[in-house]
Amino acid sequence: MSVYFRPSLEAFMEIRDALNLIHRIENLPEMYNKIEMAVCSVIHSYFEEMLNVEKKESAIMEREDYGSDDLSPFLDQKRSIHDKYWSNPSAYYRPCSSSSEPRHVWAYLCDIEVLQNGDDENSLFIFKANYKRPNSSASIVKAFILKVSGSSLKIEHEFFG
């Protein structure tokens, strides 16, 4: 009489889960690189679009005869960019002013780090960098929390430091 071992469905699921975990661990470096690239790409694109508007604002503010009406279209553009990249609807983060000096200069960022919480159900990512102007010895920390919103990676919070 032959005896056949037939694994239960639960045992099969445990084996499959273990194999999936091993596969995931083997591919972690590649996954982390792709995540870091995606997070940096979102922040870089946001900075580039905001910088283009800030440069135009700055050029207008250099004129002695500018008025607040001259800057209104640029504030609307910055809000539109904000809406494109942000998931947090709080008015606190929405652009509300103009500046004679651009604040979103990607080239001033250094020591960039991307961190993540590792929760597949609610993935959060932190983009952290030092922001240092070329003619200054001081730097400030810029940090953003990003999360998946729909099928896009969006900014949720910005920290100032």
Side-chain angles (χ1 to χ4, degrees):
M1 172 169 169
S2 298
V3 176
Y4 293 99
F5 173 71
R6 184 178 175 144
S8 68
L9 182 57
E10 292 83 20
F12 178 73
M13 296 294 281
E14 288 176 13
I15 292 169
R16 188 183 74 195
D17 291 343
L19 291 173
N20 285 341
L21 180 61
I22 290 169
H23 179 73
R24 185 174 177 180
I25 290 170
E26 289 173 344
N27 292 304
L28 276 178
E30 182 180 329
M31 284 175 33
Y32 286 149
N33 285 342
K34 287 181 180 179
I35 288 169
E36 285 183 14
M37 287 176 17
V39 169
C40 288
S41 177
V42 168
I43 299 297
H44 182 264
S45 296
Y46 173 66
F47 266 59
E48 287 298 310
E49 289 187 38
M50 290 297 273
L51 180 61
N52 287 332
V53 176
E54 291 172 339
K55 285 180 178 179
K56 294 172 190 174
E57 283 180 326
S58 179
I60 287 176
M61 294 179 96
E62 286 178 3
R63 297 188 332 230
E64 290 181 25
D65 63 339
Y66 83 89
S68 61
D69 290 343
D70 297 331
L71 297 171
S72 293
F74 300 111
L75 190 54
D76 291 339
Q77 287 177 22
K78 289 195 305 190
R79 287 181 178 147
S80 177
I81 294 166
H82 172 85
D83 292 344
K84 179 179 174 181
Y85 287 96
W86 284 73
S87 62
N88 189 332
S90 171
Y92 176 78
Y93 295 110
R94 289 186 57 79
C96 62
S97 64
S98 299
S99 174
S100 61
E101 184 156 340
R103 296 179 356 158
H104 293 87
V105 182
W106 180 262
Y108 295 173
L109 294 175
C110 59
D111 306 321
I112 295 173
E113 291 182 77
V114 175
L115 308 168
Q116 59 182 308
N117 66 345
D119 182 350
D120 291 338
E121 301 297 318
N122 185 28
S123 296
L124 298 173
F125 309 95
I126 296 175
F127 174 94
K128 178 181 169 268
N130 291 322
Y131 190 83
K132 187 173 186 286
R133 292 190 171 100
N135 298 330
S136 173
S137 60
S139 66
I140 60 170
V141 175
K142 289 217 177 239
F144 298 88
I145 292 181
L146 294 88
K147 72 175 193 172
V148 176
S149 178
S151 61
S152 300
L153 191 57
K154 301 256 185 175
I155 302 167
E156 181 66 17
H157 293 288
E158 179 177 2
F159 296 96
F160 304 94

